Amino acid sequence: MNRPKHTEFTFPTHIDDYPTGPQYKAGYLPETNAGWRTFRPVVDHDACVYCLRCYLLCPDGTIIKDSGQIKIDMDYCKGCGVCAHECPKDAIEMVKEQL
Amino acid sequence: MKTNKIFISGDEAVAQGVRLSRPHVIAAYPITPQTITVERLSEMVEAGEMDGEYMHVESEHSAISATMGASAVGARTFTASSSQGLLYMAEGLHYCSGGRWPVVMMNANRSVALPWSIYGDQRDSLSLLDCGWIQVYVEDAQEALDMIIQAYKIAEHKDVLTPMMVNLDGFILTHTYELVEIPEQKMVDEFLPPFQTPNKMSFEEPKNLGFSSKPDDNTEFKYQQNEAMFKAVDVIREVDQEFAEKFGRKYHDMVEEYRCEDADVVLVALGSVCGTVRVVVDKMRAAGKKVGLLKIRYMRPFPEAEVKDLAQRVQAIGVIDKDISFGYEGTVYTNVNSAISKIDKYVFKSNFVGGLGGRDITKAEIEDMFNHLLDGIEKKSEEKVEFFSLNVETND
Amino acid sequence: MTNLVDIPKVNAKNMTEKEFFYGHKACAGCGGSVAVRLALKVLGERTYTALPAGCMSAVGFIYPQMAFNTNAIITTFPGAASMASGIAAGAKALGQKDVKTVVFAGDGGTADIGFQALSGMIDRNDDVLYICYDNEAYMNTGIQKSGLTPYGTKTTTTPAGKNIPGTVTHKKNLFEIIAAHDIAYAATASIGYPQDFLNKVNKAKHTKGATFIHVYASCPTGWGTPTETSIEIAKDAVDCGLIFLAEFEDGEYKLNRNPKEFASVKDYLKKQGRFKHMTDEDIQCVIENRDRKWARMRKQWL
Ligand SMILES: Cc1ncc(C[n+]2csc(CCOP(=O)(O)OP(=O)(O)O)c2C)c(N)n1
Ligand code: SF4
Ligand SMILES: [Mg+2]
């Protein structure tokens, strides 16, 4: 799995449900970060030249490059806007989230 | 059984115990009176008698950090310190027990500055009772060696996974030469299995360790730690029993009672002073006085059941503290007194504070303590802390 | 010594699609998380990651949300380098092959409280890559001054007012202090020059023993900059000469960028809330310090 996926967490009900000491599975994500966004990146695939600058610089690693066309994991995008700001072709636009 | 006795100091006995336990990583920083241990270990590594990595860390904080790091990938580890060094580790001591990394350490009990003193008392480790480590106090070099080996088995037990500190009195034990039986490597290997823990990073099962917890979960992690400490009591018994069967030396688990069966009064003590108390007990017994010694071996977990049981049987209990919690009383006394308060019986109690900064505790002083307790049986009054060996008059 | 041409270059196109720092709670646009994410993608799966108290540990391990998708551990604040040394020693003693231990520590965790342990780690030449992500203050505790906070910066412990112009000291010369240990490889970098950073991490990865990278990593929250400009501002810092890109290898210093002309320091400073209060005189002081430093570097390193 390239990116850990959002996983439901069962809250411990017995003391033995806790790990022995502070240790847990690497890459375990019971929460998403989508709720942080006020703007969402929208990609214009015609303008995108697949240079991958956005992929390189996303602080959250949410840009996916494996299919020849960039995709964004909207569960974990925080809407910082680095991708749009850094895109040399202005192919990404930050659009206000509708609540 | 074939014996192999050599004449070595307490520090060297510890080094032998460590060698036999085959730690993967040793990280320690020199401080008197612990230094001989780390020097011997370095020599053993140099001579190829040990395979472990010896890390020349630049401080005690780094010594404990490094051992935690190694433990966190599943390595068996050892560190050693004393006094100022132990206090410099304090952050790491809590971190280590919270992380459930069963690091084993030797602490050479030494006074804490200021004023500077390189000599012994127990204010260093006793001031760190709450840091979540199992604390054992030994009485001689043989016990020091044996307890290092036992310590790994106790600390690494799956129900325990808690670091352990083996305390020996600075100079009195660390630098005194005694005949010590060195167990055979093969037998130690049979007794002490390789270290295994679920609490480690590995490439088969990658983990995130040392995380933060919200208020929702923090208490549960602390509860667990406390539970593990209580479970250690049973493990200590099992391990001591197994050790006795294998090596022929038994250390009486949490405490050792010496001539307490029909005693009227008992002195409670830790570490090397117990040897002196035994001599005084024998002498006073010969004179018909019903006195005994309770040697507390483990301060954490605390031998509450054993103290209560003894208190049911005697009239007066005195506690010798080579420490003082300023503004109150000796820490050992506070602990003992708390256990006694849980039984429905009045016991006369006294707290004797002394032996600070390396001052000897003499047989005469111990005899005075026993007599004081024998007098107390009638008096039925509790007393405040007594500094028993002041050389000058005070304003009291 | 490691020759960069021999190491397959890692870039956006060929780097692993696997993410090792994911789902973390860093502020939107956090530059530190760019540094951590990229470095881990170069280092790959067989890596032990150690992080002292600081933003990158605080945002990565909030039980049960575990954002490191590889082995990772939080260390004490002063003990990152020593815990990493212990990890490396433990891995070696257990016979583990082909592993790297990496530290990501903040400027405070590196240049101040963790310095002793770091010095020991380099002195012993333990097999650890130590990466200091420099956001120029103690951010996790709410933007206090560290030894790497630059002149003029307003922080919560260096307030700017009539009597004090914010921070009154210049940044410690961390890179040269590290190099003075005769370390096998040390470098400075900036997330504003990501390919350069990737190359340096890659070089360190292939260097046995202690290595060090000081990477400039913006913090929109502490710097008072818009979240989308985090990369741009980290590039500006290099272009105006306040941050330099260099390496120390085989006992030699190397300036990777030596521009004929610097971009405007004032423009760089005025983009950020933390420098807003600075007078022309304060800015002059910053420029003079920069010029002194560059004159010396050019004289000694070229
Ligand atoms: C011994 C100790 N002292 C102080 C702290 C509080 N503390 C935690 S993180 C931190 C600041 C971290 O600053 P830096 O290393 O620059 O990392 P950043 O948060 O900026 O990423 C401080 C002061 C601590 N955890 N431990
Ligand atoms: S405060 Fe700064 S360094 Fe910390 S997570 Fe936020 S942006 Fe990153
Ligand atoms: Mg910082």
Side-chain angles (χ1 to χ4, degrees), chain A residues 9 11-12 14-28 31, chain B residues 98-100 161 198-199 206-211 214 216-217 220-221 223-224:
Chain A
F9 180 67
F11 285 89
H14 188 275
I15 194 76
D16 294 340
D17 297 341
Y18 278 98
T20 307
Q23 45 126 343
Y24 215 58
K25 284 188 269 273
Y28 187 80
E31 288 174 14
Chain B
R100 308 294 298 274
L161 286 175
N199 187 15
K207 282 195 176 156
N208 288 186
L209 263 60
F211 55 62
K214 297 179 212 150
D216 299 352
D217 302 297
E220 280 67 20
F221 283 105
Y223 179 91
Q224 252 189 2

Side-chain angles (χ1 to χ4, degrees), chain C residues 106-109 133-140 146:
Chain C
D107 44 294
Y133 65 93
D134 183 3
N135 53 26
E136 303 197 316
Y138 298 151
M139 292 311 176
N140 188 47
S146 82

Side-chain angles (χ1 to χ4, degrees), chain B residues 241-259:
Chain B
Q241 183 56 36
E242 205 186 314
F243 189 89
E245 283 161 18
K246 186 110 199 146
F247 300 99
R249 288 184 294 281
K250 176 142 180 64
Y251 290 104
H252 313 278
D253 313 333
M254 302 293 289
V255 297
E256 182 196 339
E257 287 190 9
Y258 183 68
R259 305 191 76 169

Side-chain angles (χ1 to χ4, degrees), chain A residues 2-3 25-28 30-31 33 36 50 55-56 58-61 64-65 73 78 80-82 85-86, chain C residues 12-13 15-19 22 24-26 29 33 37-38 41 63-66 68 70 227-228 231-232:
Chain A
N2 288 331
R3 281 171 180 70
K25 284 188 269 273
Y28 187 80
E31 288 174 14
N33 295 334
W36 291 28
Y50 199 62
Y55 165 83
L56 189 67
C58 174
D60 293 85
I64 304 164
K65 68 166 179 181
D73 179 352
K78 294 171 184 156
C80 67
V82 163
H85 191 76
E86 292 296 327
Chain C
K13 289 250 170 351
M15 67 169 45
T16 174
E17 178 62 352
K18 203 163 171 132
E19 294 294 337
Y22 203 74
H24 56 75
K25 302 290 179 182
S33 59
R37 170 179 170 249
L38 289 181
K41 282 169 85 85
Y63 174 77
Q65 181 98 346
M66 298 295 130
F68 283 89
T70 48
T227 58
E228 68 273 17
I231 305 300
E232 177 189 292

